[in-house]
Coordinates of all heavy atoms in Angstrom, one line a residue:
P532 N -33.9 88.2 29.7 CA -33.9 88.4 28.2 C -34.6 89.7 27.8 O -35.5 90.2 28.5 CB -34.7 87.2 27.7 CG -35.3 86.5 28.9 CD -34.7 87.1 30.1
M533 N -34.2 90.2 26.7 CA -34.8 91.5 26.2 C -36.2 91.2 25.7 O -36.5 90.1 25.2 CB -34.0 92.0 25.0 CG -32.6 92.5 25.4 SD -31.9 93.2 23.9 CE -30.2 93.2 24.4
S534 N -37.0 92.3 25.7 CA -38.4 92.2 25.1 C -38.2 92.3 23.6 O -37.1 92.7 23.1 CB -39.3 93.3 25.6 OG -38.9 94.5 25.1
K535 N -39.2 91.9 22.9 CA -39.1 92.0 21.4 C -38.8 93.4 20.9 O -38.1 93.5 20.0 CB -40.4 91.5 20.8 CG -40.7 90.1 20.9 CD -41.8 89.6 20.1 CE -43.2 90.0 20.7 NZ -44.3 89.4 20.0
G536 N -39.3 94.4 21.6 CA -39.0 95.8 21.1 C -37.7 96.3 21.4 O -37.3 97.3 20.8
E537 N -36.9 95.7 22.3 CA -35.6 96.2 22.6 C -34.5 95.8 21.7 O -33.4 96.2 21.8 CB -35.2 95.8 24.1 CG -36.1 96.5 25.1 CD -35.7 96.0 26.5 OE1 -34.5 96.0 26.8 OE2 -36.6 95.5 27.2
R538 N -34.7 94.8 20.8 CA -33.7 94.3 20.0 C -33.5 95.1 18.7 O -34.5 95.4 18.1 CB -34.0 92.9 19.6 CG -33.4 92.0 20.7 CD -33.1 90.7 20.2 NE -31.8 90.4 19.8 CZ -31.0 89.5 20.4 NH1 -31.4 89.0 21.5 NH2 -29.8 89.2 19.8
N539 N -32.3 95.3 18.3 CA -32.1 95.9 17.0 C -32.4 94.8 15.9 O -31.9 93.6 16.1 CB -30.6 96.3 16.9 CG -30.2 97.0 15.7 OD1 -30.7 96.6 14.6 ND2 -29.4 98.0 15.8
L540 N -33.1 95.1 14.9 CA -33.5 94.1 13.9 C -32.2 93.4 13.3 O -32.3 92.2 13.0 CB -34.3 94.7 12.8 CG -35.8 95.0 13.2 CD1 -36.5 95.6 12.1 CD2 -36.5 93.8 13.7
S541 N -31.1 94.1 13.2 CA -29.9 93.5 12.6 C -29.4 92.4 13.5 O -28.7 91.5 13.0 CB -28.9 94.6 12.3 OG -28.4 95.1 13.5
Q542 N -29.7 92.5 14.7 CA -29.2 91.4 15.7 C -30.0 90.1 15.5 O -29.6 89.1 16.1 CB -29.3 91.9 17.1 CG -28.5 93.1 17.5 CD -28.7 93.5 18.9 OE1 -29.8 94.0 19.2 NE2 -27.8 93.4 19.8
L543 N -31.1 90.2 14.9 CA -31.9 89.0 14.7 C -31.4 88.0 13.7 O -31.5 86.8 13.8 CB -33.4 89.3 14.3 CG -34.2 90.2 15.3 CD1 -35.5 90.6 14.7 CD2 -34.3 89.5 16.6
S544 N -30.7 88.5 12.7 CA -30.2 87.7 11.6 C -29.2 86.7 12.2 O -28.3 87.0 12.9 CB -29.5 88.6 10.6 OG -29.0 87.8 9.5
G545 N -29.4 85.4 11.8 CA -28.6 84.3 12.3 C -29.0 83.6 13.5 O -28.5 82.6 13.9
L546 N -30.1 84.2 14.2 CA -30.6 83.5 15.4 C -31.4 82.3 15.0 O -32.1 82.3 14.0 CB -31.5 84.4 16.2 CG -30.9 85.6 16.9 CD1 -32.0 86.3 17.7 CD2 -29.8 85.2 17.8
E547 N -31.3 81.2 15.7 CA -32.1 80.0 15.5 C -33.5 80.2 15.9 O -33.8 81.0 16.9 CB -31.5 78.8 16.3 CG -30.1 78.4 15.7 CD -29.6 77.2 16.5 OE1 -29.9 77.0 17.7 OE2 -28.8 76.4 15.9
V548 N -34.4 79.6 15.2 CA -35.9 79.8 15.4 C -36.4 78.4 15.8 O -36.3 77.5 15.1 CB -36.6 80.3 14.2 CG1 -38.1 80.5 14.5 CG2 -36.0 81.7 13.7
Y549 N -37.1 78.4 17.0 CA -37.6 77.1 17.5 C -39.2 77.2 17.6 O -39.7 78.2 17.9 CB -37.1 76.9 18.9 CG -35.6 76.4 18.9 CD1 -34.6 77.4 18.9 CD2 -35.3 75.1 18.7 CE1 -33.3 77.0 18.8 CE2 -34.0 74.7 18.7 CZ -33.0 75.7 18.7 OH -31.6 75.3 18.7
L550 N -39.8 76.0 17.3 CA -41.2 75.9 17.4 C -41.6 75.7 18.9 O -40.7 75.5 19.7 CB -41.6 74.6 16.7 CG -41.2 74.5 15.2 CD1 -41.8 73.2 14.6 CD2 -41.7 75.7 14.4
P551 N -42.9 75.9 19.2 CA -43.3 75.8 20.6 C -42.9 74.4 21.2 O -42.7 74.3 22.4 CB -44.8 75.9 20.5 CG -45.1 76.7 19.3 CD -44.0 76.3 18.3
N552 N -42.8 73.4 20.4 CA -42.5 72.0 20.9 C -40.9 71.8 21.1 O -40.5 70.8 21.4 CB -43.1 70.9 20.1 CG -42.5 70.9 18.7 OD1 -41.5 71.6 18.3 ND2 -43.1 70.1 17.8
G553 N -40.2 72.9 20.8 CA -38.7 72.8 20.9 C -38.0 72.4 19.7 O -36.8 72.4 19.7
R554 N -38.7 72.1 18.6 CA -38.0 71.7 17.4 C -37.4 72.9 16.6 O -38.1 74.0 16.6 CB -39.1 71.0 16.5 CG -38.5 70.6 15.1 CD -39.0 69.3 14.6 NE -38.3 69.0 13.4 CZ -38.9 68.6 12.3 NH1 -40.2 68.4 12.2 NH2 -38.2 68.4 11.2
L555 N -36.3 72.7 16.1 CA -35.6 73.8 15.3 C -36.3 74.0 14.0 O -36.5 73.0 13.2 CB -34.1 73.4 15.1 CG -33.3 74.4 14.3 CD1 -33.2 75.8 15.0 CD2 -31.9 73.9 14.0
L556 N -36.8 75.2 13.7 CA -37.4 75.5 12.4 C -36.4 76.0 11.4 O -36.4 75.6 10.2 CB -38.5 76.6 12.6 CG -39.1 77.1 11.3 CD1 -39.9 76.0 10.6 CD2 -40.0 78.3 11.6
G557 N -35.4 76.7 11.8 CA -34.4 77.2 10.9 C -33.7 78.4 11.6 O -33.6 78.6 12.8
V558 N -33.1 79.3 10.7 CA -32.3 80.4 11.1 C -32.9 81.7 10.5 O -33.3 81.7 9.4 CB -30.9 80.2 10.6 CG1 -30.0 81.4 11.0 CG2 -30.3 79.0 11.2
V559 N -33.0 82.8 11.3 CA -33.5 84.0 10.8 C -32.5 84.5 9.7 O -31.3 84.7 9.9 CB -33.5 85.1 11.9 CG1 -34.0 86.5 11.3 CG2 -34.5 84.7 13.0
H560 N -33.1 84.8 8.5 CA -32.4 85.3 7.4 C -32.5 86.9 7.4 O -31.6 87.6 7.1 CB -32.9 84.7 6.1 CG -32.3 85.3 4.9 ND1 -31.0 85.1 4.6 CD2 -32.8 86.1 3.9 CE1 -30.7 85.8 3.4 NE2 -31.8 86.4 3.0
D561 N -33.7 87.3 7.6 CA -34.0 88.8 7.5 C -35.3 89.1 8.2 O -36.1 88.2 8.6 CB -34.1 89.1 6.0 CG -33.8 90.6 5.8 OD1 -33.6 91.4 6.7 OD2 -33.9 91.0 4.6
A562 N -35.5 90.4 8.5 CA -36.8 90.8 9.1 C -37.5 91.8 8.1 O -36.8 92.5 7.3 CB -36.5 91.6 10.4
V563 N -38.8 91.7 8.0 CA -39.6 92.5 7.1 C -40.2 93.7 8.0 O -40.9 93.4 9.0 CB -40.7 91.7 6.5 CG1 -41.6 92.7 5.6 CG2 -40.2 90.6 5.7
V564 N -39.9 94.9 7.6 CA -40.3 96.1 8.4 C -41.3 96.8 7.6 O -41.2 97.1 6.4 CB -39.1 97.0 8.7 CG1 -39.6 98.3 9.4 CG2 -38.1 96.2 9.6
E565 N -42.4 97.2 8.2 CA -43.5 98.0 7.6 C -43.0 99.5 7.8 O -42.9 99.9 9.0 CB -44.8 97.7 8.4 CG -46.1 98.1 7.6 CD -46.4 99.5 7.7 OE1 -46.4 100.1 8.8 OE2 -46.7 100.1 6.7
H566 N -42.8 100.2 6.7 CA -42.2 101.5 6.8 C -43.0 102.5 7.5 O -42.4 103.4 8.2 CB -41.8 101.9 5.4 CG -40.6 101.2 4.8 ND1 -39.3 101.3 5.2 CD2 -40.6 100.1 3.9 CE1 -38.6 100.5 4.6 NE2 -39.3 99.7 3.8
A567 N -44.3 102.5 7.3 CA -45.1 103.6 8.0 C -45.0 103.6 9.5 O -44.8 104.6 10.1 CB -46.6 103.4 7.6
S568 N -45.0 102.4 10.1 CA -45.0 102.3 11.5 C -43.6 101.9 12.0 O -43.3 101.9 13.2 CB -46.0 101.3 12.0 OG -45.6 100.0 11.5
L569 N -42.7 101.6 11.1 CA -41.3 101.1 11.4 C -41.4 99.9 12.4 O -40.5 99.7 13.3 CB -40.5 102.2 12.0 CG -40.1 103.3 11.0 CD1 -39.3 104.4 11.7 CD2 -39.3 102.7 9.9
S570 N -42.4 99.0 12.2 CA -42.5 97.8 13.0 C -42.3 96.6 12.2 O -42.5 96.6 11.0 CB -43.9 97.8 13.7 OG -44.9 97.7 12.7
C571 N -41.7 95.6 12.8 CA -41.4 94.3 12.2 C -42.7 93.6 12.0 O -43.5 93.4 12.9 CB -40.5 93.5 13.0 SG -40.0 92.0 12.2
T572 N -43.0 93.1 10.7 CA -44.2 92.4 10.4 C -43.9 90.9 10.3 O -44.8 90.1 10.6 CB -44.9 92.9 9.2 OG1 -44.0 92.7 8.1 CG2 -45.3 94.3 9.3
H573 N -42.8 90.5 9.8 CA -42.4 89.1 9.5 C -40.9 88.9 9.8 O -40.1 89.8 9.6 CB -42.7 88.7 8.1 CG -44.2 88.6 7.8 ND1 -44.9 89.8 7.5 CD2 -45.0 87.6 7.6 CE1 -46.2 89.4 7.2 NE2 -46.3 88.1 7.3
L574 N -40.6 87.6 10.1 CA -39.2 87.2 10.0 C -39.1 86.2 8.9 O -39.9 85.3 8.8 CB -38.8 86.5 11.4 CG -38.8 87.4 12.6 CD1 -38.4 86.5 13.8 CD2 -37.8 88.5 12.5
F575 N -38.1 86.3 8.1 CA -37.8 85.3 7.0 C -36.8 84.3 7.6 O -35.8 84.7 8.2 CB -37.1 86.0 5.8 CG -38.1 86.4 4.8 CD1 -38.3 87.8 4.5 CD2 -38.9 85.5 4.1 CE1 -39.2 88.2 3.6 CE2 -39.8 85.9 3.1 CZ -40.0 87.3 2.9
V576 N -37.2 83.0 7.6 CA -36.5 82.0 8.2 C -35.9 81.1 7.1 O -36.7 80.7 6.2 CB -37.3 81.2 9.2 CG1 -36.5 80.0 9.8 CG2 -37.9 82.1 10.3
K577 N -34.6 80.8 7.1 CA -34.0 79.9 6.1 C -33.6 78.6 6.7 O -33.7 78.4 8.0 CB -32.8 80.6 5.5 CG -31.7 80.9 6.4 CD -30.5 81.6 5.8 CE -29.4 81.8 6.8 NZ -28.2 82.4 6.1
D578 N -33.1 77.7 5.9 CA -32.6 76.4 6.4 C -33.7 75.6 7.1 O -33.5 74.9 8.1 CB -31.4 76.5 7.3 CG -30.2 77.3 6.6 OD1 -30.1 77.2 5.4 OD2 -29.4 77.9 7.3
T579 N -34.9 75.6 6.5 CA -36.0 75.0 7.1 C -36.1 73.5 6.8 O -35.7 73.1 5.6 CB -37.4 75.6 6.7 OG1 -37.4 75.6 5.3 CG2 -37.5 77.1 7.2
P580 N -36.5 72.6 7.7 CA -36.6 71.2 7.3 C -37.8 70.9 6.3 O -38.8 71.5 6.4 CB -36.9 70.5 8.6 CG -37.4 71.5 9.6 CD -36.9 72.9 9.0
D581 N -37.5 70.0 5.4 CA -38.5 69.8 4.3 C -39.8 69.2 4.8 O -40.8 69.5 4.2 CB -37.8 68.8 3.3 CG -38.7 68.6 2.1 OD1 -38.9 69.6 1.3 OD2 -39.2 67.5 1.8
D582 N -39.8 68.5 5.9 CA -41.1 68.0 6.4 C -42.0 69.1 7.1 O -43.2 68.9 7.3 CB -40.9 66.8 7.4 CG -40.2 67.3 8.7 OD1 -39.2 68.0 8.6 OD2 -40.6 66.8 9.7
L583 N -41.4 70.3 7.3 CA -42.2 71.4 7.9 C -42.5 72.4 6.8 O -43.6 73.0 6.8 CB -41.4 72.1 9.0 CG -41.2 71.4 10.3 CD1 -40.4 72.2 11.2 CD2 -42.5 71.0 10.9
V584 N -41.6 72.6 5.8 CA -41.8 73.6 4.8 C -41.3 72.9 3.4 O -40.2 72.6 3.3 CB -40.9 74.9 5.0 CG1 -41.1 75.9 3.9 CG2 -41.2 75.5 6.4
E585 N -42.3 72.7 2.6 CA -42.1 72.0 1.3 C -40.9 72.7 0.5 O -40.8 73.9 0.3 CB -43.3 72.1 0.4 CG -43.1 71.3 -0.9 CD -44.4 71.4 -1.8 OE1 -45.4 71.9 -1.3 OE2 -44.3 70.9 -2.9
G586 N -39.9 71.8 0.2 CA -38.8 72.3 -0.6 C -37.8 73.0 0.3 O -36.8 73.6 -0.3
S587 N -38.0 73.1 1.6 CA -37.1 73.8 2.5 C -36.8 75.2 2.1 O -35.7 75.8 2.3 CB -35.7 73.0 2.6 OG -35.9 71.8 3.1
I588 N -37.8 75.9 1.5 CA -37.7 77.2 1.0 C -37.7 78.2 2.3 O -38.2 77.8 3.3 CB -38.8 77.6 0.0 CG1 -40.2 77.4 0.7 CG2 -38.6 76.9 -1.3 CD1 -41.3 78.0 -0.2
H589 N -37.3 79.4 2.1 CA -37.4 80.4 3.1 C -38.9 80.6 3.4 O -39.7 80.6 2.5 CB -36.9 81.8 2.7 CG -35.4 81.8 2.5 ND1 -34.7 82.9 2.3 CD2 -34.5 80.8 2.5 CE1 -33.4 82.6 2.2 NE2 -33.2 81.3 2.3
V590 N -39.2 80.8 4.7 CA -40.6 81.0 5.1 C -40.7 82.3 5.9 O -39.8 82.6 6.6 CB -41.1 79.8 5.9 CG1 -40.4 79.6 7.2 CG2 -42.6 79.9 6.2
A591 N -41.8 83.0 5.6 CA -42.1 84.3 6.3 C -43.0 83.9 7.5 O -44.1 83.4 7.4 CB -42.8 85.3 5.4
V592 N -42.4 84.2 8.7 CA -43.1 83.9 9.9 C -43.7 85.2 10.5 O -43.0 86.2 10.7 CB -42.2 83.3 11.0 CG1 -42.9 83.2 12.3 CG2 -41.6 82.0 10.5
P593 N -45.0 85.3 10.6 CA -45.6 86.6 11.1 C -45.1 86.9 12.5 O -44.9 86.0 13.3 CB -47.1 86.3 11.1 CG -47.3 85.2 10.1 CD -46.1 84.4 10.2
W594 N -44.9 88.2 12.7 CA -44.4 88.7 14.0 C -45.3 88.2 15.2 O -44.8 87.9 16.2 CB -44.3 90.2 14.0 CG -43.5 90.8 15.2 CD1 -44.1 91.5 16.2 CD2 -42.1 90.6 15.5 NE1 -43.1 91.9 17.1 CE2 -41.9 91.3 16.7 CE3 -41.1 90.0 14.8 CZ2 -40.7 91.4 17.3 CZ3 -39.8 90.1 15.4 CH2 -39.6 90.8 16.6
R595 N -46.6 88.1 14.9 CA -47.5 87.7 16.0 C -47.3 86.3 16.5 O -47.7 85.9 17.5 CB -49.0 87.9 15.6 CG -49.5 87.0 14.5 CD -50.9 87.4 14.1 NE -51.3 86.5 13.1 CZ -51.1 86.7 11.8 NH1 -50.5 87.8 11.4 NH2 -51.6 85.8 10.9
W596 N -46.6 85.5 15.7 CA -46.3 84.1 16.0 C -45.1 84.0 17.0 O -44.8 83.0 17.5 CB -46.0 83.2 14.8 CG -47.1 83.0 13.9 CD1 -48.4 83.5 14.0 CD2 -47.1 82.2 12.7 NE1 -49.2 83.0 13.0 CE2 -48.4 82.2 12.2 CE3 -46.2 81.4 12.1 CZ2 -48.8 81.6 11.0 CZ3 -46.5 80.8 10.9 CH2 -47.8 80.8 10.4
V597 N -44.3 85.1 17.1 CA -43.1 85.1 17.9 C -43.5 85.3 19.4 O -44.2 86.2 19.8 CB -42.2 86.3 17.5 CG1 -41.0 86.3 18.5 CG2 -41.7 86.0 16.1
R598 N -43.0 84.3 20.2 CA -43.3 84.4 21.7 C -42.2 85.2 22.4 O -42.5 86.1 23.2 CB -43.4 83.0 22.3 CG -43.6 83.1 23.8 CD -43.4 81.8 24.5 NE -44.4 80.8 24.1 CZ -44.3 79.5 24.2 NH1 -43.2 79.0 24.6 NH2 -45.3 78.7 23.8
S599 N -40.9 84.9 22.1 CA -39.9 85.6 22.7 C -38.6 85.5 21.9 O -38.4 84.7 21.0 CB -39.6 85.0 24.1 OG -39.1 83.6 24.0
I600 N -37.7 86.5 22.2 CA -36.4 86.6 21.5 C -35.4 86.8 22.5 O -35.5 87.7 23.3 CB -36.4 87.7 20.5 CG1 -37.4 87.5 19.4 CG2 -35.0 87.9 19.9 CD1 -37.6 88.6 18.4
G601 N -34.4 85.9 22.6 CA -33.2 86.1 23.4 C -32.0 85.6 22.7 O -31.7 86.2 21.7
D602 N -31.4 84.5 23.2 CA -30.3 83.9 22.4 C -30.8 83.2 21.2 O -30.1 82.9 20.2 CB -29.5 83.0 23.3 CG -28.8 83.7 24.4 OD1 -28.5 84.9 24.3 OD2 -28.6 83.1 25.5
V603 N -32.1 82.8 21.2 CA -32.8 82.2 20.1 C -34.2 82.8 20.0 O -34.6 83.6 20.9 CB -33.0 80.7 20.3 CG1 -31.6 80.0 20.4 CG2 -33.8 80.4 21.5
V604 N -34.9 82.5 18.9 CA -36.3 83.0 18.7 C -37.2 81.8 19.0 O -37.0 80.7 18.5 CB -36.5 83.5 17.3 CG1 -38.0 83.9 17.1 CG2 -35.6 84.6 17.0
I605 N -38.2 82.0 19.9 CA -39.2 81.0 20.2 C -40.5 81.4 19.7 O -41.0 82.5 20.0 CB -39.2 80.7 21.7 CG1 -37.8 80.2 22.2 CG2 -40.3 79.6 22.0 CD1 -37.7 80.0 23.7
L606 N -41.2 80.5 18.9 CA -42.5 80.8 18.4 C -43.6 80.4 19.4 O -43.4 79.4 20.1 CB -42.7 80.1 17.0 CG -41.7 80.5 15.9 CD1 -42.1 79.8 14.7 CD2 -41.6 82.0 15.7
R607 N -44.7 81.1 19.4 CA -45.8 80.7 20.2 C -46.8 79.8 19.4 O -47.6 79.1 19.9 CB -46.6 82.0 20.7 CG -47.4 82.7 19.6 CD -48.2 83.9 20.1 NE -47.4 85.0 20.5 CZ -47.2 85.5 21.7 NH1 -47.8 84.9 22.7 NH2 -46.5 86.5 22.0
W608 N -46.6 79.8 18.0 CA -47.5 79.0 17.2 C -46.8 78.7 15.9 O -46.0 79.6 15.4 CB -48.8 79.7 17.0 CG -49.8 78.8 16.2 CD1 -50.6 77.8 16.8 CD2 -50.1 78.8 14.8 NE1 -51.4 77.2 15.8 CE2 -51.1 77.8 14.6 CE3 -49.6 79.5 13.8 CZ2 -51.6 77.5 13.4 CZ3 -50.1 79.2 12.5 CH2 -51.1 78.2 12.3
F609 N -47.1 77.6 15.2 CA -46.6 77.3 13.9 C -47.6 76.3 13.3 O -48.2 75.5 14.1 CB -45.2 76.7 13.9 CG -44.6 76.7 12.5 CD1 -44.1 77.8 12.0 CD2 -44.5 75.5 11.8 CE1 -43.5 77.9 10.7 CE2 -44.0 75.5 10.5 CZ -43.4 76.7 10.0
P610 N -48.0 76.4 12.0 CA -49.0 75.4 11.4 C -48.6 74.0 11.7 O -47.4 73.6 11.5 CB -49.0 75.8 10.0 CG -48.3 77.1 9.8 CD -47.4 77.3 11.0
P611 N -49.5 73.2 12.1 CA -49.2 71.7 12.3 C -49.0 70.9 11.1 O -48.4 69.9 11.2 CB -50.5 71.2 13.1 CG -51.6 72.2 12.7 CD -50.9 73.5 12.4
T612 N -49.4 71.4 9.9 CA -49.1 70.7 8.7 C -48.1 71.5 7.9 O -47.9 72.7 8.0 CB -50.4 70.6 7.9 OG1 -50.9 71.9 7.6 CG2 -51.4 69.7 8.6
Q613 N -47.4 70.7 7.0 CA -46.4 71.3 6.1 C -46.9 72.5 5.4 O -48.0 72.6 4.8 CB -45.9 70.2 5.1 CG -44.8 70.7 4.2 CD -44.5 69.7 3.1 OE1 -45.4 69.3 2.4 NE2 -43.3 69.3 3.0
I614 N -46.1 73.6 5.3 CA -46.4 74.8 4.5 C -46.1 74.5 3.1 O -44.9 74.1 2.7 CB -45.6 76.0 5.0 CG1 -46.0 76.3 6.4 CG2 -45.8 77.2 4.1 CD1 -45.3 77.5 7.0
P615 N -47.1 74.6 2.2 CA -46.8 74.2 0.8 C -46.0 75.3 0.1 O -45.9 76.5 0.5 CB -48.2 74.2 0.1 CG -49.1 75.0 1.0 CD -48.5 74.9 2.4
R616 N -45.3 74.9 -1.0 CA -44.4 75.8 -1.7 C -45.1 77.0 -2.3 O -44.6 78.1 -2.3 CB -43.7 75.0 -2.8 CG -42.7 75.8 -3.5 CD -42.1 75.0 -4.7 NE -41.4 73.8 -4.3 CZ -40.1 73.7 -4.1 NH1 -39.4 74.8 -4.3 NH2 -39.6 72.6 -3.8
N617 N -46.4 76.8 -2.8 CA -47.1 77.9 -3.4 C -48.2 78.4 -2.5 O -49.1 77.7 -2.1 CB -47.7 77.4 -4.7 CG -46.6 77.1 -5.7 OD1 -45.6 77.8 -5.7 ND2 -46.8 76.1 -6.6

């Protein structure tokens, strides 16, 4: 599998995102790029389950939470409690 740096950010859109325990979090909607360094800071994930993200809203996952990217995105960490809407 490719390292995180080898992927074109446009290729990330539509990839499924999995928690460390193997549970599906959702699908990558977009990537947030910091313009000064041109590095990805967050992935926006859509179609999230309501018991993980209140209201199933899009959630911004910090890049440091990403363990690996291949055919899917695997996170190294995710909050154990539901992320509140506000």
Side-chain angles (χ1 to χ4, degrees):
M533 293 184 197
S534 72
K535 289 191 284 190
E537 292 177 51
R538 273 206 95 114
N539 183 321
L540 288 177
S541 65
Q542 294 176 297
L543 297 176
S544 185
L546 291 184
E547 292 180 330
V548 180
Y549 287 88
L550 304 184
N552 66 8
R554 177 144 184 226
L555 179 64
L556 174 64
V558 177
V559 175
H560 174 68
D561 204 359
V563 180
V564 175
E565 202 278 313
H566 289 284
S568 63
L569 292 179
S570 60
C571 182
T572 61
H573 291 78
L574 294 178
F575 271 113
V576 180
K577 64 180 182 175
D578 303 334
T579 56
D581 187 61
D582 64 317
L583 291 177
V584 182
E585 183 183 351
S587 298
I588 58 171
H589 291 191
V590 63
V592 174
W594 190 250
R595 67 183 181 275
W596 293 3
V597 174
R598 177 190 296 158
S599 65
I600 297 174
D602 296 332
V603 298
V604 177
I605 299 174
L606 300 183
R607 70 175 76 246
W608 188 82
F609 194 78
T612 56
Q613 182 189 54
I614 294 178
R616 184 186 297 267
N617 295 326

